[in-house]
Amino acid sequence: MTPSYAELQVTTNFTFLRGASHPGELVRAASALGLHAVAVTDRNTLAGVVRAHAAARETGIKLVVGARLDLADAPAMLCLPRDRAAYGRLARLLTVGRRRAPKGECEIGLADLLDHATGQILIALPPADGGGHGFERHLSALRRRIGSSVYLAANHLYRGDDRARIDRLAGVAARAGTPLVATNDVHAHTPARHRLADVLTCIREHCTVDEAGYRLAANAERHLKPASEMARLFRDHPDAVGRSVAIADACTFSLDELRYEYPDDEATPGDTPDGALERLTREGAKARYPGGIPDAVARQLAHELELIAALDYAAYFLTVHDIVRFARDRGILCQGRGSAANSTVCYCLGITAVDPSRMDLLFERFVSAERNEPPDIDIDFEHERREEVIQYIYRKYGRERAGLAATVIHYRARSALREVGKALGLSLDTVAALSGTVWGWRSEPAKEVHIREAGLDPEDGRLALTLQLAGELAGFPRHLSQHVGGFVITRGPLSEIVPVTNAAMEKRTVIEWDKDDLDALGMLKIDVLGLGMLT
């Protein structure tokens, strides 16, 4: 009988400088191997799950959304939410840890986890030394506090003592009442990424491969394996393999369940967002057309309002209108632009200054039921006063309901060459000459002719390896930064949709997803941008 297996411990490159594969690569590889399911469990983050979700939709494999929680006062845990409510608790837990720490860091304690443990499946990760009796007591206490949803992970990583170590863990699991589950502590979709994983370790540890020693993984086994291989490795504990499938089946949550609701604060009591939008639009139309609303404009307004109501976008337009109203009440110059200028509703609300009826502009370029794409309104504010608008949004909706979108900063060709070259021990002069063969923000690899012109030999072994690994590293995420002004505002707690983190800039908070992630999930944002010429 063909065994079945779900990989529940997967680190992507959104665990910066640890994971050696993109989320999509890992999901597609898991599907090609015929795995029952695959989880994404990056360290204290959900930043990569949307990309994994998109790949899972393409391939049909089940994705288990989760995170590895590195606790400040207890061994690490894999946290896998069973349902939408549990996912909200996980996102809120990560928000708590991120908000109390500087940008890029997360501080979570065991008490925080226990406060958010309802509906979670927790898989304890044993310390490298096994943890001894203290770890066993910790597991037993968790089992008493949380119940039967606590498990113990076991890895077989060809370290020489695997069978004996897994046998000991099985004994610990039996005594603590936390069943053993097989995982592979995956850091790459293929063993071929082993050398890149070593380079990432060196970049993280600020050393070269010649100095790294035991900081490097002993082998290339932290890659996805088929169910048959996992069954062979855990042949003495077959239940640990089967248990991975049962856990994956118990986790029914999908990111498709995230129902994004725009705030309806602008609708007065007893009114609906659609009613409020129609009223404000009609009032604006009378001001725009003091001699009377032309029949063509009236028909266009009726068409736009009908489509906006059908797609449930009225609250979005009301929120944009309120932000523009705030700016103009305080004399802050602003102007909407882009495809929003195709909307007569936006013109009547004062968001844009272009009359679409005079320019014969097509509204469906902005909002269309057939395209199934959310509207995206860009508003330029005078640069020197844009921060007033940003802080108004934070004040009005609270940081629990409003946050800037993230921007993923990636390694490009030049930075990849520089970092890989240093990790492989090339001299600083060589690294400078090599990175100088790439210009600007290009992501294309260095060309052989340019390398030779710089006085370097592209066929030299270490230099050739640098070029190869830099090509693999280019496009990897380096860190999260803040979008120039893309705001996500929600009706309910934003932190139950996506973790919220501190930005480097004071008084700014940022979500963990970028504009592409938001588009993939159909979440709306408002671009609050700065324009120097308005100042």
Side-chain angles (χ1 to χ4, degrees):
M1 179 178 176
T2 303
S4 189
Y5 175 67
E7 183 52 70
L8 301 177
Q9 187 179 0
V10 177
T11 297
T12 80
N13 55 12
F14 276 84
T15 299
F16 304 125
L17 299 181
R18 290 186 186 272
S21 292
H22 295 278
E25 290 179 318
L26 288 154
V27 170
R28 286 187 286 272
S31 178
L33 289 172
L35 297 187
H36 180 79
V38 62
V40 167
T41 52
D42 282 310
R43 294 184 181 224
N44 295 338
T45 183
L46 295 173
V49 296
V50 178
R51 292 156 200 246
H53 174 69
R57 279 197 297 205
E58 293 172 6
T59 60
I61 191 173
K62 176 174 181 173
L63 174 70
V64 178
V65 175
R68 168 178 168 152
L69 304 178
D70 284 348
L71 305 177
D73 55 355
M77 309 281 291
L78 303 180
C79 183
L80 309 177
R82 293 176 181 266
D83 52 28
R84 172 65 182 91
Y87 170 82
R89 294 184 195 99
L90 173 58
R92 195 166 66 235
L93 169 63
L94 293 172
T95 298
V96 169
R98 294 281 180 186
R99 289 300 314 279
R100 66 164 59 127
K103 177 183 180 291
E105 299 179 23
C106 186
E107 295 178 8
I108 298 174
L110 181 59
D112 300 316
L113 173 59
L114 294 174
D115 288 342
H116 298 80
T118 303
Q120 317 289 1
I121 291 179
L122 300 175
I123 304 175
L125 303 179
D129 61 359
H133 294 299
F135 179 64
E136 186 173 326
R137 288 193 297 272
H138 166 69
L139 278 183
S140 298
L142 272 180
R143 175 68 172 78
R144 289 192 300 271
R145 291 285 302 273
I146 297 174
S148 61
S149 60
V150 183
Y151 297 82
L152 175 59
N155 309 139
H156 190 300
L157 297 175
Y158 289 92
R159 292 174 175 168
D161 66 342
D162 293 281
R163 293 186 68 178
R165 180 170 42 80
I166 293 172
D167 285 343
R168 287 196 300 272
L169 289 175
V172 170
R175 292 188 295 273
T178 54
L180 197 70
V181 57
T183 70
N184 201 50
D185 194 12
V186 170
H187 280 61
H189 71 295
T190 169
R193 287 282 171 87
H194 174 56
R195 290 184 297 185
L196 180 60
D198 287 347
V199 165
L200 293 172
T201 299
C202 292
I203 297 173
R204 186 180 75 244
E205 298 291 335
H206 306 288
C207 65
T208 68
V209 290
D210 300 309
E211 302 163 344
Y214 289 112
R215 285 174 282 190
L216 303 180
N219 51 50
E221 291 301 319
R222 288 186 174 183
H223 63 89
L224 287 166
K225 294 183 173 72
S228 57
E229 177 64 2
M230 293 301 292
R232 186 186 71 81
L233 294 175
F234 284 85
R235 56 190 176 274
D236 295 337
H237 304 277
D239 289 348
V241 176
R243 206 164 278 127
S244 69
V245 175
I247 291 173
D249 288 344
C251 296
T252 61
F253 171 72
S254 166
L255 289 177
D256 288 330
E257 296 179 52
L258 294 183
R259 295 288 179 262
Y260 178 67
E261 295 181 326
Y262 222 76
D264 55 1
D265 300 54
E266 301 314 307
T268 56
D271 202 358
T272 65
D274 291 311
L277 179 63
E278 181 170 0
R279 174 175 50 79
L280 288 171
T281 301
R282 300 295 180 192
E283 292 172 0
K286 291 177 183 178
R288 288 291 198 188
Y289 305 98
I293 303 173
D295 291 342
V297 172
R299 288 193 298 272
Q300 181 62 25
L301 282 176
H303 167 65
E304 292 186 17
L305 289 169
E306 181 181 2
L307 185 55
I308 290 169
L311 298 177
D312 198 24
Y313 290 153
Y316 175 75
F317 283 81
L318 290 173
T319 304
V320 177
H321 170 262
D322 175 66
I323 294 171
V324 171
R325 177 203 54 75
F326 166 82
R328 292 200 167 128
D329 284 351
R330 282 154 181 76
I332 302 172
L333 289 176
C334 64
Q335 189 61 64
R337 61 176 169 84
S339 60
N342 293 47
S343 167
T344 304
V345 167
C346 285
Y347 176 64
C348 291
L349 291 176
I351 296 170
T352 59
V354 176
D355 184 349
S357 66
R358 300 183 63 180
M359 302 295 181
D360 196 25
L361 299 178
L362 183 66
F363 176 66
E364 277 71 11
R365 180 175 169 268
F366 175 46
V367 174
S368 169
E370 287 74 20
R371 287 205 319 271
N372 193 30
E373 296 176 358
D376 189 9
I377 298 178
D378 297 340
I379 314 170
D380 292 319
F381 296 88
E382 55 177 297
H383 175 72
E384 295 298 329
R385 301 189 65 187
R386 182 178 72 125
E387 190 64 25
E388 294 178 44
V389 180
I390 289 175
Q391 293 306 320
Y392 166 72
I393 294 172
Y394 279 130
R395 284 196 308 274
K396 174 158 186 172
Y397 298 100
R399 292 176 189 274
E400 68 277 4
R401 294 175 55 203
L404 286 164
T407 293
V408 181
I409 306 301
H410 297 89
Y411 282 99
R412 296 185 180 271
R414 176 179 287 182
S415 57
L417 282 170
R418 191 163 49 240
E419 296 294 344
V420 173
K422 288 190 291 186
L424 292 183
L426 299 182
S427 69
L428 294 180
D429 288 344
T430 302
V431 170
L434 192 58
S435 60
T437 62
V438 179
W439 292 275
W441 294 97
R442 290 170 42 194
S443 293
E444 296 84 3
K447 290 181 169 53
E448 181 176 329
V449 61
H450 296 147
I451 295 171
R452 292 190 184 279
E453 287 173 354
L456 303 174
D457 179 8
E459 297 179 3
D460 173 79
R462 190 161 290 213
L463 191 62
L465 183 58
T466 298
L467 295 171
Q468 176 192 331
L469 296 179
E472 294 179 6
L473 181 60
F476 266 45
R478 295 179 64 177
H479 63 272
L480 296 181
S481 184
Q482 59 178 306
H483 189 274
V484 291
F487 258 102
V488 178
I489 309 172
T490 56
R491 186 177 305 174
L494 178 60
S495 61
E496 293 186 2
I497 296 176
V498 54
V500 180
T501 181
N502 293 321
M505 188 179 295
E506 189 179 0
K507 298 182 180 180
R508 298 280 186 92
T509 48
V510 184
I511 65 172
E512 287 192 334
W513 296 340
D514 71 358
K515 62 182 182 63
D516 293 333
D517 296 328
L518 297 174
D519 288 344
L521 296 177
M523 294 177 64
L524 306 177
K525 67 177 174 66
I526 300 173
D527 285 322
V528 179
L529 307 174
L531 187 62
M533 64 185 296
L534 287 178
T535 301

